[in-house]
Amino acid sequence: MSSAKGFLSYVHADDAAESGRIAQLARDVVAQYEMITGEQIDLFLDRDEISWGEDWRSKIDGTLADVAFFIPVLTRRYFRSQECRRELDFFIKKARALGLAELILPILYIDFAELREEPPTDELIARTRAFQWVDWTDLRFAATTSPEYRKAVAQLAQRLAEAATAAEAVDGGDAATSRESVPSAPGFVDVVAEAEEVMPAWTETVRRITAEILRIEELATTAGEAIQASDARGQGSATRNAIFNQFAQELKPPAEQIARLGNEFAAQLHTVDLGMQAVLARIPGELRQNSTSAEDVHDFFDLVRQMASGSAEGLGALKELVSTIEPVERESRNLRPVLRELRKGLTLMVDGDEVIQNWVKQMDGLQVPPRPESG
């Protein structure tokens, strides 16, 4: 059996909050795997493998293309992290293409309400629920030297060994039939067409989000003016609380809409990003083989830059709104659940801005002939 490769996907803030227990869990699993199988396992911890200042996004994509299994450490923050979501989405699609659900080995580290929603409001959570995860919610409190912890680690290592064996079958000659059943990758024009098909819906989502933000700003302005008038009249905390309660009631519908649209935004962005990465990777070869023209590439780049510019402008307003939530949240107990819901949706969109702007950086780094002059 050749050396298997695995990838641990987790939120660094979660690992820090656990004093490094998440990363240590991965290392403990590696030790057990090697003892069980007698074979070495290369488990990639992105914090360990990717040096500071390196282009870690492209490094992760390259690693994910070669790994035999993928271990997402599920927490609420995991599904709020744009990069963690992108990694999980990427690998789910790979596992489905190979017909190997065993490649996905989630660890449920912290349970949270959204994971049990019926129907689920997060499309990525819905897809993750199709895989059999390991419940670590109690074991995260167990001593690493305890029998229950060591037994659970050994069981997880055994699952990894079985997943690696299944993955090797796909890589070997026995899987020729399986590979034949996987559709061939679409060409440049096909991928561009798919991306262009999703982009209008994504643009419409951004437009609707902007409309809700304007609505919220109007409500906040009205509430702020009412508070100032109340304070000027010396009406006290009872009146302030009444104003905040009214504001909370009025804010609930747009906050729920923002949360829903934020999920749509994230789902659409992941689809566009995966297509975008495929397009950008293929452009040099397509140009060398004259499979597409420089003019087509420039037209596509113009579309992407237009999208990135509009997104940056809209998300700039969202970032400012997010920054105002925390102090307002402390003013009223009734406002807290509404504003937390609002912040969830906004966080997904704000985090996505980094992904969007990265497209432009990648395009700028490509060597594309100048656009032909029109006759």
Side-chain angles (χ1 to χ4, degrees):
M1 179 184 293
S2 61
S3 178
K5 295 181 176 64
F7 188 90
L8 184 78
S9 176
Y10 64 99
V11 176
H12 295 154
D14 289 338
D15 187 50
E18 290 289 275
S19 301
R21 280 183 64 105
I22 293 176
Q24 185 58 49
L25 169 60
R27 298 184 183 99
D28 291 341
V29 169
V30 167
Q32 284 292 315
Y33 179 99
E34 293 177 346
M35 186 165 60
I36 290 171
T37 66
E39 302 288 341
Q40 183 178 359
I41 181 173
D42 297 326
L43 185 61
F44 291 90
L45 297 171
D46 57 348
R47 180 172 292 280
D48 290 348
E49 298 296 331
I50 302 171
S51 60
W52 180 260
E54 189 175 350
D55 184 2
W56 61 276
R57 190 190 309 277
S58 61
K59 175 73 172 179
I60 284 175
D61 284 341
T63 302
L64 282 178
D66 299 326
V67 298
F69 53 80
F70 177 79
I71 305 175
V73 182
L74 307 181
T75 65
R76 177 176 271 117
R77 277 195 288 206
Y78 186 90
F79 286 99
R80 294 181 184 177
S81 165
Q82 191 71 30
E83 287 305 320
C84 289
R85 292 177 66 95
R86 190 169 73 91
E87 293 162 14
L88 180 56
D89 180 79
F90 179 99
F91 215 85
I92 285 177
K93 290 180 178 178
K94 179 185 177 184
R96 285 179 174 172
L98 295 176
L100 285 174
E102 297 87 353
L103 292 178
I104 309 292
L105 299 175
I107 292 177
L108 179 60
Y109 201 78
I110 296 177
D111 206 349
F112 52 99
E114 293 91 331
L115 205 60
R116 312 291 180 182
E117 285 181 332
E118 291 295 348
T121 57
D122 187 318
E123 56 85 28
L124 191 58
I125 287 179
R127 285 188 284 152
T128 305
R129 281 164 51 170
F131 297 91
Q132 182 181 0
W133 59 53
V134 177
D135 191 335
W136 216 262
T137 55
D138 291 331
L139 287 166
R140 60 182 283 250
F141 300 108
T144 56
T145 56
S146 67
E148 59 177 332
Y149 176 88
R150 295 180 61 192
K151 182 178 180 180
V153 168
Q155 290 173 340
L156 182 56
Q158 183 64 45
R159 283 189 61 183
L160 295 184
E162 293 169 359
T165 300
E168 283 199 345
V170 170
D171 288 336
D174 294 340
T177 303
S178 298
R179 280 202 295 269
E180 288 174 1
S181 65
V182 178
S184 59
F188 178 79
V189 174
D190 298 322
V191 176
V192 170
E194 183 177 355
E196 289 178 340
E197 183 178 348
V198 175
M199 282 183 178
W202 182 48
T203 304
E204 174 62 16
T205 300
V206 173
R207 187 198 65 77
R208 293 169 64 190
I209 289 169
T210 301
E212 294 299 330
I213 291 298
L214 293 175
R215 181 182 173 190
I216 291 171
E217 288 177 346
E218 291 176 359
L219 292 173
T221 298
T222 300
E225 291 172 350
I227 289 291
Q228 290 179 354
S230 171
D231 291 345
R233 292 191 293 267
Q235 292 179 313
S237 60
T239 302
R240 288 174 63 92
N241 286 338
I243 294 172
F244 277 125
N245 289 341
Q246 178 67 25
F247 180 45
Q249 293 177 6
E250 294 174 343
L251 187 60
K252 185 177 180 180
E256 291 176 346
Q257 181 75 338
I258 285 287
R260 186 180 66 80
L261 290 173
N263 187 49
E264 289 184 13
F265 175 90
Q268 292 161 350
L269 178 60
H270 289 303
T271 300
V272 174
D273 185 42
L274 289 170
M276 191 69 63
Q277 298 303 324
V279 168
L280 295 176
R282 293 177 187 176
I283 283 177
E286 295 279 347
L287 289 172
R288 284 194 301 269
Q289 298 171 11
N290 294 320
S291 300
T292 191
S293 68
E295 184 173 6
D296 287 340
V297 173
H298 282 289
D299 287 343
F300 183 68
F301 281 6
D302 289 344
L303 174 63
V304 173
R305 287 192 171 93
Q306 182 180 359
M307 296 289 296
S309 177
S311 177
E313 183 178 348
L315 290 178
L318 299 187
K319 289 179 181 178
E320 184 176 351
L321 183 59
V322 168
S323 68
T324 66
I325 288 178
E326 286 190 355
V328 177
E329 196 171 9
R330 291 191 291 267
E331 291 286 342
S332 170
R333 181 173 55 193
N334 291 331
L335 272 173
R336 291 170 191 167
V338 179
L339 291 174
R340 279 198 298 268
E341 188 72 10
L342 176 63
R343 185 165 50 194
K344 283 195 299 185
L346 293 181
T347 299
L348 286 171
M349 294 177 285
V350 171
D351 289 346
D353 189 42
E354 179 186 347
V355 176
I356 297 166
Q357 301 310 318
N358 186 61
W359 299 341
V360 177
K361 293 180 182 178
Q362 289 178 273
M363 290 189 303
D364 291 341
L366 293 176
Q367 299 295 323
V368 180
R371 186 193 298 271
E373 295 184 4
S374 58

